Amino acid sequence: MPAEALALSIVAPKFPSSFPISQAPFVPYLARRASSASASASSSQTHSTTLSKSLQQENYEAIIGIETHVQLSTLTKAFCSCPYHYGSVPNTHICPVCMGLPGCLPILNSKIIEFAVKLGLALNCKLSLRSKFDRKQYFYPDLPKGYQISQFDVPIASHGYLDVDLPVEFGGGHRRFGITRVHMEEDAGKLIHAASGGYSQVDLNRAGVPLLEIVSEPDMRSGLEAAEYAAEIQRLVRYIGVSNGNMQEGSLRCDVNVSVRPKGQAKFGTKVEIKNMNSFSAMQRAIDFEISRQISLYNEGQENQIIQETRLWEEGSQRTVTMRIKEGLADYRYFPEPDLPDVVITEDYVHILRSGLPELPDTKRRRYEQLGLTMQDVLFLANDDNVADFFDATITNGADIKLAANWIMGDIAAYLKNEKLSINEIKLTPHELAELIASIKGGTISGKIGKEILFELIAKGGKVKALIEEKDLILDPAKIEVMVDKVLAANPKQLEQYHGGKTKLQGFFAGQVMKESKGKANPALLNQILLGKLNAKN
């Protein structure tokens, strides 16, 4: 039966066009801004306009808060035994419970409580030893029960914070953003809108999938801060293993609330919600656009045109557009979920989960700083927990800290990007990388030979010592001496300059000898013989 036949068709008024999900492979994010446009003939006028706009924006302050939905990596849904696999044929992972059929009772997946407590601890929250589920009433075609099982007045975690390091290229710095609450709930289904706009289809595979919603305090002041906050949330849920955090799969979804107020004003401005941001860079651009839009309305005396609404980010036009207007607060008519008991956890249970948490991203960054690494190195290495584990294992095997960081961030990272692989999918081991670094640092092989061996280790695996032997390196002092003599004879001018005090030319001669040997001369032996020749009396 074709997939289209399995979807439940609903003829309805026109819905917004479906939200595109990027199919590009995931790349760990550190916020980056697009490069500025090239200057036109009227660059002086453009500069004047930009300066004027900048001065106008300095009089206002943006207030930003984020609601983040994290889809949990459980084997089954929140209240039934159905599995969930992203990309499955529509309506093939459903049952009477997640379809909301009458007479069906939910049974809580205990793994959700474990993941919620872990995330609450990682976000430095106060945990509720007794919390409860509530029914959130609203009606939409992708919500089969007509209500969502969520948590209202007693969330499982609250009053926490998240520490974030901003990218060095944007001035760096440390920020702490408050966490209002973390609560458990179930996801809704998914609407698939027809291209004609005349009808929509419902896929209930996602209905009942467990979520944790993280609500931040309105502590962010720019698109950059908001994007880095969201990236840190993604990093955190991956570190503790509660979610894969893939935005392109909808495993991490952020709704951003933005308002603007004149500096010095205590009262918040009118809040606008932004949706449909499928990457952190899109989030940054959407927020910066919305801030500029609201400031422009203030400057034109039309601040009353800023209304409480939900706006969509249009990637093509790089702007936000109205999706729906909110006429006051929604009345969800919350009441305690009668079919589920209270969630009760003990201090002993919390202690066990706390002791099982891994080293968290911020703690890891502080440790890397103490190792003497630059903040740029720190942010790169700690961005992915698998890369961080590989780096830690490499230096545990005795590798020089800075050299290990350089190899991982340089040639290894470039290979992973080109081949679209993770560091766990290559044959190279931390022990062999440490051996390779030691061989280069000790002068056994050159950097050029080291790179050749590195790529062989990445693709095929093996032992560094065995690969060095296969390279048929030149270890005979007599052969190296012949090559040194040849190079010195071929470069009398540089030799005279060396004897005249330009001792840095030793590197030039070493490079020429290495070129003569096709990179096979032992670097330590080469430099020993070369130095002896250069400093010998005529």
Side-chain angles (χ1 to χ4, degrees):
M1 184 180 294
E4 291 79 9
L6 289 166
L8 306 178
S9 296
I10 293 180
V11 178
K14 290 186 178 180
F15 288 97
S17 60
S18 58
F19 306 159
I21 301 295
S22 170
Q23 298 300 317
F26 169 75
V27 178
Y29 172 81
L30 293 175
R32 298 289 184 270
R33 286 183 179 172
S35 59
S36 59
S38 58
S40 64
S42 59
S43 59
S44 59
Q45 182 181 353
T46 302
H47 174 72
S48 176
T49 303
T50 303
L51 183 61
S52 174
K53 185 176 180 181
S54 175
L55 290 172
Q56 290 173 347
Q57 290 189 349
E58 286 179 2
N59 298 322
Y60 297 93
E61 179 183 41
I63 308 296
I64 304 164
I66 301 180
E67 298 170 7
T68 307
H69 291 88
V70 178
Q71 191 179 98
L72 301 182
S73 298
T74 54
L75 296 177
T76 58
K77 294 184 182 182
F79 304 112
C80 66
S81 59
C82 292
Y84 174 72
H85 302 292
Y86 175 77
S88 297
V89 176
N91 297 310
T92 54
H93 297 299
I94 56 175
C95 72
V97 175
C98 51
M99 290 177 70
L101 298 184
C104 298
L105 295 176
I107 300 175
L108 177 61
N109 183 342
S110 62
K111 202 71 176 176
I112 302 170
I113 301 172
E114 177 188 329
F115 284 0
V117 172
K118 281 184 175 181
L119 185 57
L121 291 171
L123 289 171
N124 307 287
C125 289
K126 177 183 177 182
L127 296 176
S128 299
L129 297 184
R130 179 183 288 272
S131 62
K132 64 182 177 68
F133 284 101
D134 301 277
R135 287 188 181 181
K136 179 181 180 181
Q137 317 278 338
Y138 69 94
F139 300 96
Y140 209 64
D142 61 8
L143 192 69
K145 294 193 295 285
Y147 63 86
Q148 178 190 36
I149 299 178
S150 182
Q151 290 190 297
F152 177 48
D153 54 332
V154 189
I156 195 164
S158 58
H159 302 96
Y161 62 86
L162 180 68
D163 289 322
V164 176
D165 290 296
L166 300 182
V168 178
E169 59 266 40
F170 298 119
H174 185 82
R175 300 286 189 277
R176 174 169 289 184
F177 302 118
I179 301 296
T180 305
R181 57 186 280 151
V182 178
H183 64 260
M184 302 177 285
E185 63 183 22
E186 62 178 337
D187 208 346
K190 182 178 180 181
L191 286 177
I192 304 168
H193 307 296
S196 64
Y199 67 95
S200 295
Q201 295 175 303
V202 182
D203 177 11
L204 295 180
N205 279 345
R206 200 175 66 181
V209 169
L211 301 175
L212 291 178
E213 181 172 346
I214 307 165
V215 182
S216 81
E217 291 289 323
D219 291 344
M220 287 144 264
R221 297 294 178 263
S222 69
L224 174 66
E225 289 187 358
E228 290 299 329
Y229 163 87
E232 186 73 3
I233 291 288
Q234 182 190 66
R235 203 172 291 124
L236 191 67
V237 299
R238 287 175 169 171
Y239 263 61
I240 63 177
V242 302
S243 174
N244 63 25
N246 290 346
M247 292 188 80
Q248 65 268 30
E249 296 180 4
S251 299
L252 187 81
R253 308 193 292 272
C254 296
D255 297 335
V256 180
N257 295 305
V258 180
S259 66
V260 166
R261 65 183 177 187
K263 283 190 175 179
Q265 177 179 300
K267 183 182 177 182
F268 288 162
T270 302
K271 178 177 65 177
V272 172
E273 183 182 41
I274 310 174
K275 291 179 177 287
N276 195 34
M277 298 162 292
N278 298 321
S279 70
F280 299 126
S281 58
M283 178 186 298
Q284 182 178 341
R285 294 193 303 275
I287 293 170
D288 288 342
F289 173 87
E290 183 59 27
I291 292 171
S292 295
R293 186 187 74 85
Q294 293 187 26
I295 288 175
S296 295
L297 289 171
Y298 263 100
N299 289 327
E300 294 166 6
Q302 299 181 28
E303 59 267 28
N304 61 330
Q305 297 297 314
I306 304 172
I307 57 175
Q308 190 169 339
E309 62 178 332
T310 298
R311 297 177 70 88
L312 295 180
W313 171 246
E314 286 190 344
E315 188 66 34
S317 61
Q318 294 288 293
R319 64 192 182 108
T320 62
V321 295
T322 298
M323 175 186 174
R324 59 174 176 262
I325 296 173
K326 297 182 177 181
E327 298 177 353
L329 295 175
D331 181 10
Y332 291 118
R333 295 176 294 143
Y334 284 99
F335 66 84
E337 170 55 62
D339 294 331
L340 289 170
D342 287 357
V343 176
V344 180
I345 56 178
T346 65
E347 292 284 3
D348 288 342
Y349 178 75
V350 173
H351 176 73
I352 291 170
L353 293 183
R354 189 194 301 274
S355 61
L357 287 176
E359 183 180 39
L360 299 178
D362 187 62
T363 306
K364 195 179 290 291
R365 291 194 294 267
R366 304 288 78 81
R367 177 167 65 84
Y368 286 172
E369 279 188 299
Q370 293 174 2
L371 292 176
L373 294 172
T374 66
M375 181 52 69
Q376 190 170 4
D377 295 348
V378 167
L379 291 175
F380 184 95
L381 294 170
N383 184 60
D384 186 310
D385 57 332
N386 293 321
V387 172
D389 290 345
F390 193 95
F391 170 73
D392 287 337
T394 302
I395 61 176
T396 300
N397 277 279
D400 178 277
I401 293 170
K402 182 58 179 174
L403 291 177
N406 289 346
W407 279 92
I408 292 172
M409 294 170 58
D411 292 298
I412 295 174
Y415 182 91
L416 296 177
K417 182 178 180 180
N418 291 337
E419 300 298 323
K420 296 179 174 58
L421 296 172
S422 72
I423 203 163
N424 291 342
E425 295 175 300
I426 59 176
K427 304 289 186 181
L428 175 68
T429 65
H431 178 268
E432 292 308 314
L433 178 58
E435 285 282 329
L436 183 64
I437 292 170
S439 298
I440 298 170
K441 188 177 181 181
T444 304
I445 58 174
S446 66
K448 178 183 177 183
I449 295 295
K451 281 193 176 186
E452 292 178 9
I453 292 175
L454 174 71
F455 291 122
E456 289 185 44
L457 290 169
I458 289 175
K460 301 176 184 177
K463 301 291 183 182
V464 171
K465 291 180 180 178
L467 291 172
I468 290 175
E469 291 176 3
E470 292 176 10
K471 293 296 179 184
D472 191 25
L473 301 179
I474 301 172
L475 303 174
D476 185 350
K479 291 182 179 180
I480 294 176
E481 186 173 359
V482 169
M483 288 186 282
V484 169
D485 289 338
K486 183 178 178 181
V487 167
L488 294 178
N491 297 279
K493 182 179 179 181
Q494 287 83 357
L495 183 59
E496 184 180 346
Q497 290 174 337
Y498 178 87
H499 288 146
K502 292 188 176 181
T503 55
K504 289 185 178 180
L505 284 169
Q506 180 187 344
F508 164 76
F509 290 116
Q512 293 300 306
V513 176
M514 192 59 75
K515 184 178 179 181
E516 181 71 22
S517 71
K518 297 181 180 178
K520 293 187 175 183
N522 178 284
L525 194 55
L526 183 158
N527 281 306
Q528 180 185 344
I529 295 171
L530 176 62
L531 198 58
K533 294 276 186 180
L534 289 172
N535 295 334
K537 294 181 179 179
N538 294 332

